[in-house]
Amino acid sequence: MNYSIALVPGDGIGPEVTAKAVDVLALTGHKFGHFFNFVELEAGGRAIDSTGEPLPASSMEAAKRCDALLLGAVGGPKWENLPGHLRPERALLGLRAGLGVFANLRPAALLPQLKDACPLKDEVLAASHPEGKPTFDLLIVRELTGGIYFGERGRDGDGKSDDSSAFDTERYSRAEIERVLRVAYGAAAKRRSKLCLVDKANVLESSRFWREIASEIAGEYKNIETSYMYVDNCSMQLIHAPGQFDVIVTSNIFGDILSDEASVLSGSIGMLASASIGGKAAGRKYPPGIYEPIHGSAPDIAGKDLANPLAAILSAAMMLRYSFSLEQEASAIEAAVNSALDSGLRTKDIAGRTGYSAERIVGTNAMAAAVMAALKAG
Ligand code: NAD
């Protein structure tokens, strides 16, 4: 089969890690008899430099014509002082809204090879695990195109007087809440059948609306155990008892924050992949999907062969699974990542807290080469 993939390498380490994901996809295609055609697009800081805007209309149009989108990361100090509507991150919001993807799936699990890189003690992990194992495996489903990041915002007053103010608005429609809840219930049905809605319903009216709708539709998913948790408690529970969670579903801002917290438990932000899905398939061969590591452009390590490419490679695996239903191919990539870690190689971010032998700490290129070798051999 032929698949067309929009490729947005972006800024900083984005091009370094997406190049490795592209190699892995090409090899996977070769192995399984598919052809992935990559259409490289400009967005983010790079696009600002060449066109003056973070998301040129031509990039958006081309992205819509492709079957799925693979993104690195955008942004960096060079563009930090631009006004909000011209900042690189606008490209992300534009792509998400333009493709209509509203559910961001962020799996976070502790691979046995990375136990040393997890800051939690074994006994803390085991205490909340259903089978008493020192590990966890959860999925955060974050609403992506609504809430406070998209709500009405502004300022009143001159900014100097005491009564000057600024505001951002959290507003969710019933349709926005219901559709992301349904994606989360669908994901829970394929996992361990537990769903926890995380909100701030003790204070926020919008959160109470989320709970109301969740309790209505929970009845349709009788095999799924639904629970509710306040976000402040959840942030504590994640580091106290992560094994209790299966699927967490939450709003845009809470999901943004909690998934970064969860990434630390997995060893490094350089390990976490994400899929943004849920858009309409109308007029397309496949429903739209954006696949990207959850990390940013990491300007501090860009161009130094230090970036962990595994989150980008695992994002490519998610693309095969969620956009193209190529389960066997996705599993082959995940197995190759596992083998590379089994071989003992580590990028610096996942080398753990205790002295990992220096000769086994490798850069982006060598880590990706180990994945490629394992994929070839597998
Ligand atoms: P960041 O994720 O880029 O970096 C945070 C820390 O994690 C840094 O120390 C970095 O070196 C490290 N890190 C990140 N990815 C890594 C990897 N693959 N391997 C090893 N270490 C890794 O977050 P930040 O520093 O807050 O943001 C930097 C820039 O990225 C900013 O301009 C920000 O706006 C942007 N950003 C973009 C996205 C995106 O494109 N989706 C997401 C977050 C931040």
Side-chain angles (χ1 to χ4, degrees):
M1 280 284 278
N2 285 356
Y3 302 91
S4 71
I5 298 173
L7 180 69
V8 178
D11 310 311
I13 63 169
E16 297 168 49
V17 296
T18 45
K20 303 306 178 192
V22 165
D23 290 346
V24 166
L25 280 171
L27 179 59
T28 308
H30 182 72
K31 243 183 106 132
F32 289 89
H34 308 297
F35 181 70
F36 299 109
N37 178 42
F38 295 95
V39 180
E40 190 165 331
L41 306 176
E42 279 194 341
R46 201 169 117 180
I48 294 171
D49 287 350
S50 63
T51 70
E53 47 185 338
L55 182 60
S58 56
S59 290
M60 188 67 248
E61 286 316 307
K64 282 183 181 165
R65 285 194 297 272
C66 289
D67 295 329
L69 191 153
L70 182 67
L71 192 139
V74 298
K78 184 176 176 191
W79 305 282
E80 236 154 49
N81 295 322
L82 291 172
H85 68 286
L86 281 179
R87 289 189 50 150
E89 293 77 7
R90 279 278 138 191
L92 300 177
L93 303 185
L95 285 167
R96 290 165 186 167
L99 291 173
V101 291
F102 58 80
N104 183 224
L105 275 46
R106 297 184 161 198
L110 181 56
L111 298 175
Q113 302 94 324
L114 298 186
K115 260 178 59 185
D116 255 8
C118 172
L120 300 188
K121 290 183 188 148
D122 276 4
E123 52 268 36
V124 173
L125 287 168
S128 63
H129 190 273
E131 292 154 34
K133 294 183 182 160
T135 189
F136 69 91
D137 177 3
L138 59 89
L139 173 73
I140 297 180
V141 179
R142 166 189 170 195
E143 198 291 325
L144 202 58
T145 51
I148 198 161
Y149 292 173
F150 288 86
E152 196 192 339
R153 71 194 60 193
R155 287 179 179 233
D156 288 320
D158 60 9
K160 302 281 181 249
S161 55
D162 284 353
D163 61 354
S164 294
S165 60
F167 64 96
D168 299 274
T169 317
E170 175 89 343
R171 178 184 285 273
Y172 270 112
S173 70
R174 169 174 278 273
E176 283 174 324
I177 297 169
E178 193 173 325
R179 66 187 185 178
V180 74
L181 284 172
R182 289 192 186 282
V183 169
Y185 272 110
K190 291 187 189 144
R191 290 173 50 97
R192 300 192 307 279
S193 301
K194 284 175 67 179
L195 178 141
C196 179
L197 170 61
V198 172
D199 60 29
K200 191 69 185 163
N202 50 343
V203 180
L204 300 178
E205 197 53 42
S206 53
S207 286
R208 284 193 277 274
F209 197 34
W210 274 76
R211 276 202 190 201
E212 219 171 281
I213 296 168
S215 61
E216 269 173 41
I217 69 169
E220 294 174 37
Y221 300 91
K222 294 215 174 2
N223 296 329
I224 313 273
E225 177 194 323
T226 304
S227 61
Y228 305 89
M229 191 179 279
Y230 298 140
V231 64
D232 40 351
N233 185 24
C234 182
S235 67
M236 190 175 72
Q237 293 296 328
L238 272 176
I239 50 168
H240 173 65
Q244 70 186 285
F245 296 111
D246 180 16
V247 172
I248 288 174
V249 58
T250 190
S251 64
N252 204 340
I253 187 168
F254 295 158
D256 191 6
I257 297 164
L258 293 175
S259 55
D260 267 31
E261 185 185 358
S263 78
V264 178
L265 304 180
S266 302
S268 163
I269 200 163
M271 289 301 301
L272 291 204
S274 85
S276 301
I277 59 168
K280 288 202 171 63
R284 303 173 52 99
K285 217 149 85 187
Y286 303 95
I290 300 179
Y291 300 86
E292 55 182 317
I294 79 158
H295 60 71
S297 59
D300 52 330
I301 57 168
K304 297 181 180 164
D305 191 30
L306 281 175
N308 184 345
L310 297 182
I313 290 171
L314 291 169
S315 300
M318 288 188 89
M319 169 187 290
L320 300 188
R321 174 171 294 124
Y322 286 100
S323 270
F324 306 140
S325 302
L326 297 175
E327 181 57 42
Q328 205 189 347
E329 291 81 344
S331 300
I333 295 177
E334 287 160 354
V337 166
N338 256 308
S339 296
L341 293 171
D342 282 342
S343 75
L345 297 182
R346 301 283 183 273
T347 44
K348 205 168 157 205
D349 58 308
I350 50 170
R353 290 151 295 160
T354 47
Y356 204 78
S357 70
E359 69 275 11
R360 297 168 98 190
I361 299 181
V362 297
T364 315
N365 291 319
M367 183 52 102
V371 176
M372 292 286 280
L375 188 58
K376 240 179 237 157

